Amino acid sequence: MDQSPSKEQLHSALFMNLVLTFQAASMQALGKVDNPVTGKAEKNREQAKMSIDMLDMLEVKTQNNLTTEEANFLSRVVADLKMVYVQESK
């Protein structure tokens, strides 16, 4: 029996991976995660904003084209990152 995921399942997993990639980049740029190359926390607010803006754009552009799970996940990630960004701006 073929147990490989359907095209829809694969696309969903890839979408979630894309969101997680931008989330990780944002958290690293906010100094919340160490840079894997240097092993140090480094802050780059402009880079963090760019990653958050990319996710924000993705949320707008994919509206009504995601599963409920995908939409909720993306929305939570964007909201959480914006909150961290604001906290780091103080």
Side-chain angles (χ1 to χ4, degrees):
M1 266 190 213
D2 186 13
Q3 295 290 339
S4 59
S6 69
K7 192 171 188 177
E8 187 173 310
Q9 289 171 321
L10 178 61
H11 286 173
S12 184
L14 290 171
F15 176 79
M16 298 288 201
N17 192 29
L18 178 66
V19 172
L20 289 171
T21 299
F22 281 109
Q23 179 189 40
S26 298
M27 293 301 278
Q28 182 179 328
L30 290 167
K32 298 297 185 183
V33 177
D34 290 346
N35 180 323
V37 175
T38 65
K40 298 177 184 176
E42 301 167 354
K43 291 187 181 184
N44 183 334
R45 287 177 31 101
E46 289 180 25
Q47 185 60 46
K49 185 174 182 334
M50 175 66 80
S51 293
I52 294 167
D53 287 347
M54 292 287 282
L55 287 172
D56 206 24
M57 174 276 304
L58 196 59
E59 187 173 26
V60 170
K61 290 292 195 176
T62 59
Q63 192 171 10
N64 299 320
N65 198 35
L66 299 174
T67 66
T68 301
E69 179 185 2
E70 292 165 342
N72 289 341
F73 177 69
L74 178 56
S75 180
R76 268 193 324 274
V77 168
V78 170
D80 289 348
L81 288 173
K82 285 180 178 181
M83 187 169 52
V84 173
Y85 182 86
V86 169
Q87 289 171 347
E88 287 298 313
S89 298
K90 293 180 181 180

